[in-house]
């Protein structure tokens, strides 16, 4: 669950990160929470990030997809897009997430697609549309991330890096 081997990255982005000794799929994975929830990132670029998540295991007491689960999927996808926009010298930190839940889902897979609304030097905002297997909109979300320079402490914490002590 949550493995990222099949993520499609633009070749120039893969090359840029590889030159720094960074394993791009590991860096832009769904993370521990996303993995626990079964998030799969299928496609990733600064222009579009696509991922899926199972409804099973991510429901509230009424058996419907939990709104917080939709928020996790949305923030994961929007953050990946913002990180790719920020490039190798900046990290994206979520500062605002807004989710509107349109319909309940009881089973199957939901798919999220994140596309940029704004990509600046210090912030990036993405719209994330989550749909069910019948392509009906389940949730509309908007995520704004602050982009800040990577510090040595940040670099030490990045997964998939060969850089000792953030160098």
């Amino acid at each position: 669950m949550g493995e990222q081997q099949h993520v499609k990255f633009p070749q120039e982005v893969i090359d840029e990160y590889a030159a720094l000794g960074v394993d791009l799929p590991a860096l832009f994975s769904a993370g521990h929470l996303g993995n626990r929830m079964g998030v799969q990132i299928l496609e990733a670029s600064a222009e579009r990030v696509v991922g899926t998540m199972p409804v099973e295991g991510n429901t509230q007491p009424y058996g419907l997809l939990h709104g917080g689960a939709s928020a996790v999927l949305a923030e994961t996808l929007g953050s990946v897009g913002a990180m790719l926009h920020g490039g190798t010298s900046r990290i994206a930190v979520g500062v605002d997430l807004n989710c509107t839940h349109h319909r309940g889902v009881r089973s199957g897979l939901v798919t999220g697609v994140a596309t940029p609304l704004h990509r600046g030097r210090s912030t990036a905002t993405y719209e994330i549309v989550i749909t069910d297997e019948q392509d009906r909109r389940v949730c509309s979300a908007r995520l704004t991330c602050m982009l800040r320079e990577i510090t040595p402490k940040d670099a030490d914490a990045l997964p998939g890096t060969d850089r000792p002590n953030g160098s």
Side-chain angles (χ1 to χ4, degrees), residues 3-4 21 32 35 38 51 77-78 108 114 129 132 163 167:
E3 294 178 9
Q4 305 305 314
H32 295 296
N35 286 341
L77 300 178
V129 174
D132 64 14
R163 297 179 286 182
S167 56

Side-chain angles (χ1 to χ4, degrees), residues 22 27 83 88 91 150 153-161 163:
V22 176
L27 180 61
M83 284 289 288
T88 58
I91 64 170
I150 293 178
K153 183 178 177 182
D154 296 326
D156 286 343
L158 293 176
T161 61
R163 297 179 286 182

Side-chain angles (χ1 to χ4, degrees), residues 75 79 82 91-98 122-125 142-148:
E75 185 150 357
S79 293
I91 64 170
V93 180
V95 294
D96 182 63
L97 176 65
N98 175 281
S122 60
T123 63
T125 300
R142 187 188 68 245
L143 172 70
T144 298
C145 289
M146 176 179 65
L147 302 173
R148 64 176 180 80

